[in-house]
Amino acid sequence: NAGVTQTPKFQVLKTGQSMTLQCAQDMNHEYMSWYRQDPGMGLRLIHYSVGAGITDQGEVPNGYNVSRSTTEDFPLRLLSAAPSQTSVYFCASSKGGDLSSEAFFGQGTRLTVV
Amino acid sequence: ILNVEQSPQSLHVQEGDSTNFTCSFPSSNFYALHWYRWETAKSPEALFVMTLNGDEKKKGRISATLNTKEGYSYLYIKGSQPEDSATYLCAFRDDYKLSFGAGTTVTVRA
C-alpha cells in the first residue's frame, strides 16, 4: 500500500540547474498539490491539480512548473534553481468532490540550492 | 492568499496536563477545516476533517470543535503524554485548495 510516493528524498543543486521532483499516488485521487515548508511559515501551496490535464497556481508558483498528464503522477519542475528555493517539498493527494476527504502526504524532498 | 492563523506558535505542557490551541480562518466560502499532526522527520497525518458548524470530533485524548460563523476551531489534548509532542497544523479548504496555518508546536515534558 504505497499511498503517495515522492522522489528523491534529498537533493543538492547548484544555482541555475534544473530538476524535477517526482510525485505518484496509487489511490486514484483526483486532487494533487505541491507545498513547500519553510521554518515558521507552515506549508505554502505552490501548484495544484484537480484532475489530469488541469493545473493551477497556488500561493508561491514563481520558478516552478507542473503538469498532470495522468491521474497518478504530478511532477514539479524547477526551471533554474535559486538559493531561495532551498526548502522541504511535500506532495499531497486527496479525493475530489468529497468535502470530508483528508489529504495524504508524501515523505517529503529536502532540497538545498547552493 | 487566505489568512489562516494558529496560536500560540508553541507551547510546553507538563505530562498529564490538558491543553488547547486555536485556529482562525475566513468565515466565507467555507468548505472544510482540517487538523493534521506532524511529527519531526515525518509527513503530516490527518486527525480530523470538519465540515459543519458546531462539529465536534474526537480521537482518543484529542478532540476538536468548529465554529464556521465566527471562523475558529479549537484543538484539545486531554492528559498530555510525551507521544503527543508534535506540530499541529490546521488547514482551511475552499473549493479545491487547502491553505495551512503555520502550526502550533506542542512539547510535552515528562
Side-chain angles (χ1 to χ4, degrees), chain A residues 31 35 37 40-43 45 48 50 57-59 90 95 97-103 105-108, chain B residues 1 9 31-32 34 36 38 41-46 49 51 89 93 95-103:
Chain A
Y31 292 1
Y35 297 88
Q37 189 261 325
M41 302 188 77
L43 294 170
L45 182 64
Y48 66 99
V50 299
Q57 296 181 352
E59 181 184 351
F90 286 95
K95 290 182 190 176
D98 180 356
L99 292 182
S100 63
S101 174
E102 65 191 79
F105 287 83
Q107 292 299 303
Chain B
I1 299 174
Q9 185 175 12
Y31 279 66
H34 295 217
Y36 291 83
W38 193 4
K42 294 187 177 181
S43 304
E45 292 186 348
V49 178
T51 59
L89 298 171
R93 178 175 167 182
D95 52 19
Y96 309 117
K97 308 185 300 294
L98 277 179
S99 297
F100 284 83

